[in-house]
Amino acid sequence: QVQLVMSGGGLVQTGGSLRLSCATSGRPLSSYGMGWFRQAPGKEREFVCSDNWTGGNPDYADSVKGRFTMSRDNAKNTVYLQMSGLKPEDTAVYYCAVRPGSGRRDSGRYDYWGQGTQVTVSS
């Protein structure tokens, strides 16, 4: 069993920055890859970014590439999503999730999910 507790998020103006955190417990973070997803009102959940168990080889959706950076601190069992250059279309509920194996862009490959945190970007 893995628990994920998210923090960060909030309201920011266009062009602003936010950092989301995802603290995990139950198993060492170094045991698995992580992913970030988001879901806007009326839309399906979409992939944002993911990494492997070392935190390396990050993969980003084209919509966030160059603006978002995923990182992790395995000693703290925490994953971060630094978001900059935010746009109104980034407005969504953001989720972190645990992935034990492959399928980095497939939400069905993720076993455990954080509670979600709202990010709202005003124009």
Side-chain angles (χ1 to χ4, degrees), residues 75-94:
K76 296 182 178 180
N77 289 315
T78 302
V79 181
Y80 305 97
L81 181 65
Q82 178 68 46
M83 306 182 292
S84 60
L86 284 163
K87 306 174 182 180
E89 51 263 43
D90 294 318
T91 296
V93 177
Y94 284 70

Side-chain angles (χ1 to χ4, degrees), residues 33-37 47 49-51 70 95-99 110:
M34 292 292 293
W36 289 90
F37 291 78
F47 169 79
C49 56
S50 69
D51 68 4
M70 180 178 182
Y95 300 89
C96 61
V98 171
R99 185 191 74 255
Y110 290 76

Side-chain angles (χ1 to χ4, degrees), residues 54-90:
T54 69
N57 196 25
D59 179 31
Y60 296 94
D62 288 343
S63 59
V64 306
K65 197 172 295 183
R67 300 187 297 121
F68 289 14
T69 301
M70 180 178 182
S71 62
R72 62 162 70 192
D73 185 335
N74 281 347
K76 296 182 178 180
N77 289 315
T78 302
V79 181
Y80 305 97
L81 181 65
Q82 178 68 46
M83 306 182 292
S84 60
L86 284 163
K87 306 174 182 180
E89 51 263 43
D90 294 318

Side-chain angles (χ1 to χ4, degrees), residues 6 14 25-26 39 43 48-49 52-53 74 76 84 86 100 106 114 118:
M6 300 179 63
T14 296
S25 61
Q39 187 166 18
K43 296 187 177 182
V48 175
C49 56
N52 61 22
W53 62 278
N74 281 347
K76 296 182 178 180
S84 60
L86 284 163
D106 182 357
Q118 177 71 46

Side-chain angles (χ1 to χ4, degrees), residues 12-59:
V12 65
Q13 292 185 335
T14 296
S17 298
L18 283 173
R19 188 177 82 159
L20 307 183
S21 299
C22 176
T24 71
S25 61
R27 271 190 279 162
L29 179 61
S30 58
S31 302
Y32 40 79
M34 292 292 293
W36 289 90
F37 291 78
R38 66 187 181 186
Q39 187 166 18
K43 296 187 177 182
E44 293 188 353
R45 189 171 298 185
E46 66 172 354
F47 169 79
V48 175
C49 56
S50 69
D51 68 4
N52 61 22
W53 62 278
T54 69
N57 196 25
D59 179 31

